[in-house]
Amino acid sequence: MFNVEEELKKLPKEPGVYIMRDDKDVILYVGKAVNLHNRVRSYFRENIGRGPAIDKMVSLIARFEYIVTDSELEALVLENNLIKENSPKYNTLLKDDKTYPYIKVTLGEDYPRVQFSRLMKKDKSKYFGPYTSAAAVKDTIELLNKLYHLRTCNRSLPRDIGAERPCLNYHIKQCLGPCQGYVTREQYREQVEQALEFLNGNYSPILKELEGKMRAAAEELDFETAATYRDLHDSVKQVAQKQKITDSAGEDKDIIALYQDDREAVVQVFFVRDGKLIGREHYYMTHVSENSKTEILENFVKQFYAGTPFIPRELMLQCEIADRELIEKWLTGRKGSRVYVRVPKIGSKEKLVELAAQNARHILEQDRERLKREEGRTIGAVKEIASLLGLGKIERMEAFDISNINGFENVGSMIVFEKGKPKPSDYRKFRIKTVSGPDDYACMREVLTRRFLHGLEESKELEEKEMDQTYGSFTRFPDLLMMDGGRGQVNIALSVLEELGSSIPVCGMVKDDSHRTRGLYFNNVELAIDTRSEGFKLITRIQDEAHRFAIEYHRSLRSKAQVKSVLDGIPGVGPARRKALMRGFKSIEEIKAASVEELAGLPEINRRAAEAIYGFFHKPEDGSGTSGTA
């Protein structure tokens, strides 16, 4: 048994990290301390004005543990790692976990390539970035390869020179062909150096060169080539214009400021690389209600720069943070060169920080409005429906639909909405087993019986094993059952629930003659609903989603049946090979388009069978072949 008073006496007066846990051993909070003895004991003193959130956390602590470190710097690193790994409830947390794109030039290779990368490794490559737009990075890489004719293949050169034929890029004059030895290592490296100049922001040489080539081609009346150079010239100018100069010193820095309300905070970061503002990004911080601006900013800096591969030379912050010198030391160690953490007070730098803070405020206010609208569409709409039906709180709604064509392949769908939003992970498909022919009522009876019987059985099993009910996919029953139809469908549902001893409100989504939703059928009464209300719009979304999910399932079964019926006619293709083909290809058209090699690459399909399948779909058009339809 953990005795808090006894364990407090054993705490060492050394730096380290402490971990607070509740009675289920869940981590509540992770913190660092210069002196573990003093810091941890402070949580268990009374009346020290910690605030209700921390008081609540302390009341939940069942035990604590600690890890002693050699220094406060080591404690800071360990604290970051544990927070990132466990996301404790009472730590201020960085919500976003984004990775940023880089442009990577593989200078460690004899014939370097320009690549897209989300990781910055300690290798011989040179990295540019991070950038905030992956699309812009890909466009820039494509432009560089067109301008400097660099290779994009994965061949190991010079080992594989001449081993294979040159690829399409060589034939369309977008690669110099180093894989064939058509360019020397020195000549290729000159092109790479020019690409590096471009990435460093020196666009003048390539713009001048492209303009000269464009004029020369035009004078020779080769207007197609001239147009190509014109397009490349325009692309380079566009890239150049995107680089907004913000600092003549050409340094790397991040400008960081925040804005907070009583629930959350937004941190805005401006990324400046080589003196150019390359982009900005915002991040949400949670559990901020009782934290000051300086505490939130410090938590952000520690969590964000523990995960990002690039550390700039300077961080410009909105306000002072308590562990500034320690964080500088930590970041310097991570970067391998001096890093400065500063709070500008006057001049253009202070204005940039102020601009970042204004942006953070705008983002939070815009999101607040967006969330308010979203809440009206979801939770607000659910409340409207509950009020109309005279029900209490509704959280989970389930809707069912049946799909078939003249009774062929009867299927049912179950979709789930929670708090007014679809929950696709709880959607279920049913292939009707007991009904043949077009009998929607009988099909619905089977689907509902299977759904709720399965849920009751699953609940019983979990109860016997003393497991949490949330582990069972069917164990959560709805607060409201939504049937696609009127009295008939509702009565089917009510009779199934009665037979199983369950009591769940059931309403029907009634449609008019034009197949549009017009109201709800509940307790033997059709209730009109304002067609302009959010509640009505939610009912329509639920109805449409149930219908879509059922039709898509039915369509997939029809497609498989069609494939199977066609494959039955191929000599030597039995059940195992049919299954392999149906797994490997989505449709008959894909199988028909496949080469012998692609067919033979599937399990269960040998070369001989592949040739037979290929031959079946490629017979001469003399009337003896097949069109591939059942």
Side-chain angles (χ1 to χ4, degrees):
M1 188 70 180
F2 191 88
N3 186 315
V4 173
E5 289 302 321
E6 287 300 315
E7 295 301 323
L8 285 172
K9 294 174 185 176
K10 299 175 187 176
L11 285 164
K13 296 182 179 181
E14 297 177 61
V17 171
Y18 55 92
I19 303 163
M20 305 298 195
R21 295 181 180 268
D22 66 13
D23 56 359
K24 293 179 181 174
D25 218 32
V26 174
I27 295 178
L28 298 168
Y29 186 81
V30 174
K32 71 167 179 63
V34 181
N35 184 317
L36 284 166
H37 183 271
N38 294 344
R39 185 74 184 97
V40 177
R41 287 175 69 87
S42 70
Y43 283 94
F44 299 93
R45 296 185 195 136
E46 294 183 3
N47 301 320
I48 60 169
R50 292 173 303 222
I54 299 300
D55 285 341
K56 173 68 174 174
M57 182 202 64
V58 172
S59 72
L60 297 173
I61 296 173
R63 71 180 187 90
F64 60 80
E65 56 188 286
Y66 55 88
I67 302 168
V68 175
T69 59
D70 288 334
S71 66
E72 190 184 0
L73 180 59
E74 281 187 17
L76 182 142
V77 174
L78 180 58
E79 176 196 34
N80 275 334
N81 292 340
L82 290 172
I83 289 172
K84 192 172 180 68
E85 182 70 26
N86 299 285
S87 300
K89 182 178 179 181
Y90 287 92
N91 280 94
T92 300
L93 298 175
L94 173 61
K95 278 173 74 172
D96 305 70
D97 190 14
K98 301 171 183 173
T99 57
Y100 288 95
Y102 292 81
I103 293 176
K104 173 183 178 180
V105 185
T106 59
L107 295 178
E109 297 178 332
D110 287 324
Y111 295 88
R113 294 167 291 165
V114 180
Q115 296 179 319
F116 179 97
S117 176
R118 285 194 181 273
L119 293 174
M120 189 174 178
K121 299 177 182 176
K122 289 186 177 179
D123 53 17
K124 294 178 181 178
S125 300
K126 183 155 188 176
Y127 292 84
F128 294 85
Y131 301 98
T132 54
S133 169
V137 168
K138 289 172 182 174
D139 288 345
T140 303
I141 291 171
E142 186 180 352
L143 176 61
L144 286 168
N145 287 327
K146 283 181 180 177
L147 289 172
Y148 302 108
H149 312 297
L150 304 179
R151 73 187 184 101
T152 59
C153 65
N154 293 322
R155 297 177 190 180
S156 180
L157 303 180
R159 187 194 70 189
D160 293 341
I161 288 179
E164 295 179 51
R165 288 181 299 176
C167 67
L168 178 64
N169 279 358
Y170 170 74
H171 292 294
I172 61 174
K173 299 181 181 179
Q174 285 192 11
C175 177
L176 295 170
C179 62
Q180 302 302 307
Y182 295 154
V183 60
T184 66
R185 184 177 179 277
E186 290 71 26
Q187 290 169 330
Y188 187 89
R189 280 276 175 166
E190 284 179 18
Q191 297 293 102
V192 173
E193 289 301 322
Q194 289 181 48
L196 290 172
E197 281 288 306
F198 182 99
L199 287 168
N200 281 317
N202 187 4
Y203 308 110
S204 299
I206 190 64
L207 284 169
K208 203 172 284 183
E209 182 184 335
L210 289 171
E211 192 169 343
K213 287 181 176 180
M214 178 178 67
R215 293 183 186 281
E219 285 171 8
E220 293 176 13
L221 305 181
D222 186 355
F223 298 116
E224 189 176 337
T225 302
T228 300
Y229 287 130
R230 180 203 62 205
D231 292 343
L232 286 172
H233 185 272
D234 291 346
S235 296
V236 173
K237 281 184 72 176
Q238 194 174 4
V239 169
Q241 286 166 1
K242 285 179 181 175
Q243 305 299 314
K244 179 185 173 186
I245 298 294
T246 60
D247 186 355
S248 58
E251 294 179 351
D252 295 337
K253 63 182 69 174
D254 287 354
I255 297 148
I256 307 167
L258 69 84
Y259 185 82
Q260 72 181 112
D261 61 14
D262 56 345
R263 288 181 298 175
E264 55 191 351
V266 169
V267 178
Q268 177 79 60
V269 184
F270 289 164
F271 300 106
V272 177
R273 300 292 177 263
D274 290 325
K276 303 175 184 69
L277 179 65
I278 64 163
R280 63 177 186 170
E281 194 56 83
H282 66 273
Y283 305 84
Y284 275 89
M285 302 290 288
T286 59
H287 310 154
V288 301
S289 58
E290 292 178 20
N291 289 326
S292 65
K293 185 179 289 184
T294 58
E295 289 171 322
I296 298 166
L297 206 57
E298 182 173 322
N299 279 309
F300 171 81
V301 169
K302 290 192 289 187
Q303 291 177 46
F304 180 71
Y305 291 101
T308 184
F310 182 84
I311 310 292
R313 184 173 180 272
E314 182 180 6
L315 304 187
M316 291 183 1
L317 305 184
Q318 182 180 19
C319 55
E320 288 289 351
I321 53 177
D323 285 335
R324 184 180 63 79
E325 291 181 6
L326 182 65
I327 288 170
E328 274 188 347
K329 187 177 176 184
W330 167 58
L331 292 176
T332 297
R334 283 208 67 213
K335 183 175 177 63
S337 60
R338 187 77 167 89
V339 175
Y340 299 89
V341 178
R342 294 178 172 134
V343 181
K345 303 293 185 186
I346 55 172
S348 60
K349 291 182 178 180
E350 192 270 338
K351 284 186 170 62
L352 274 173
V353 173
E354 189 180 314
L355 183 64
Q358 287 174 7
N359 274 268
R361 177 171 61 83
H362 288 314
I363 288 163
L364 193 58
E365 287 174 351
Q366 287 165 6
D367 272 14
R368 196 181 290 135
E369 285 300 312
R370 179 183 57 78
L371 289 171
K372 190 176 178 182
R373 290 195 301 272
E374 179 66 18
E375 191 172 290
R377 290 181 71 249
T378 54
I379 296 171
V382 174
K383 287 178 179 176
E384 279 183 30
I385 294 169
S387 175
L388 179 69
L389 301 177
L391 300 174
K393 185 179 178 182
I394 296 175
E395 186 167 301
R396 181 183 175 98
M397 296 187 286
E398 291 181 6
F400 295 80
D401 196 12
I402 301 296
S403 181
N404 63 62
I405 294 180
N406 296 325
F408 172 76
E409 290 287 11
N410 285 313
V411 298
S413 71
M414 163 185 152
I415 62 127
V416 178
F417 272 57
E418 282 193 358
K419 296 180 179 178
K421 295 180 182 178
K423 190 180 181 186
S425 60
D426 280 9
Y427 286 13
R428 292 295 179 268
K429 303 168 184 173
F430 299 85
R431 196 165 185 171
I432 306 301
K433 299 175 180 178
T434 62
V435 183
S436 58
D439 188 341
D440 284 1
Y441 285 169
C443 290
M444 186 60 76
R445 178 177 290 279
E446 180 188 324
V447 168
L448 292 171
T449 302
R450 283 166 58 187
R451 183 267 178 266
F452 288 106
L453 190 60
H454 192 163
L456 292 168
E457 289 170 352
E458 212 171 59
S459 296
K460 189 177 179 183
E461 285 176 21
L462 293 172
E463 209 172 281
E464 289 170 356
K465 294 175 184 175
E466 296 184 349
M467 289 174 68
D468 190 331
Q469 293 288 299
T470 57
Y471 281 99
S473 59
F474 275 129
T475 54
R476 283 204 62 196
F477 281 9
D479 302 306
L480 179 65
L481 202 56
M482 310 280 282
M483 306 305 298
D484 186 30
R487 178 181 299 178
Q489 294 284 16
V490 170
N491 288 340
I492 289 289
L494 289 171
S495 66
V496 169
L497 292 169
E498 188 178 355
E499 287 167 15
L500 298 175
S502 292
S503 178
I504 297 170
V506 182
C507 74
M509 298 177 284
V510 185
K511 293 181 179 177
D512 60 21
D513 295 337
S514 301
H515 212 65
R516 291 175 301 197
T517 306
R518 73 178 187 214
L520 295 178
Y521 182 81
F522 185 66
N523 286 345
N524 295 317
V525 177
E526 185 177 321
L527 303 170
I529 184 167
D530 183 358
T531 55
R532 295 165 298 179
S533 69
E534 291 296 344
F536 178 83
K537 292 172 186 174
L538 176 59
I539 292 165
T540 303
R541 289 198 296 275
I542 291 171
Q543 202 165 29
D544 291 345
E545 181 68 352
H547 193 52
R548 177 201 66 80
F549 193 54
I551 284 176
E552 283 188 2
Y553 181 40
H554 188 258
R555 189 178 292 136
S556 72
L557 292 180
R558 287 204 321 270
S559 177
K560 287 178 183 176
Q562 183 193 53
V563 172
K564 181 178 179 297
S565 68
V566 174
L567 299 181
D568 282 341
I570 306 176
V573 175
R577 285 175 177 161
R578 264 202 314 270
K579 197 175 288 184
L581 287 166
M582 289 164 73
R583 282 199 190 113
F585 301 97
K586 294 179 181 177
S587 65
I588 285 292
E589 284 67 32
E590 284 194 13
I591 297 173
K592 284 174 68 177
S595 66
V596 172
E597 287 72 23
E598 287 171 328
L599 292 166
L602 296 174
E604 307 290 343
I605 309 289
N606 57 30
R607 180 82 186 183
R608 187 175 176 183
E611 288 173 351
I613 297 163
Y614 185 85
F616 178 82
F617 287 112
H618 295 82
K619 292 176 185 176
E621 294 188 8
D622 58 0
S624 59
T626 178
S627 66
T629 56

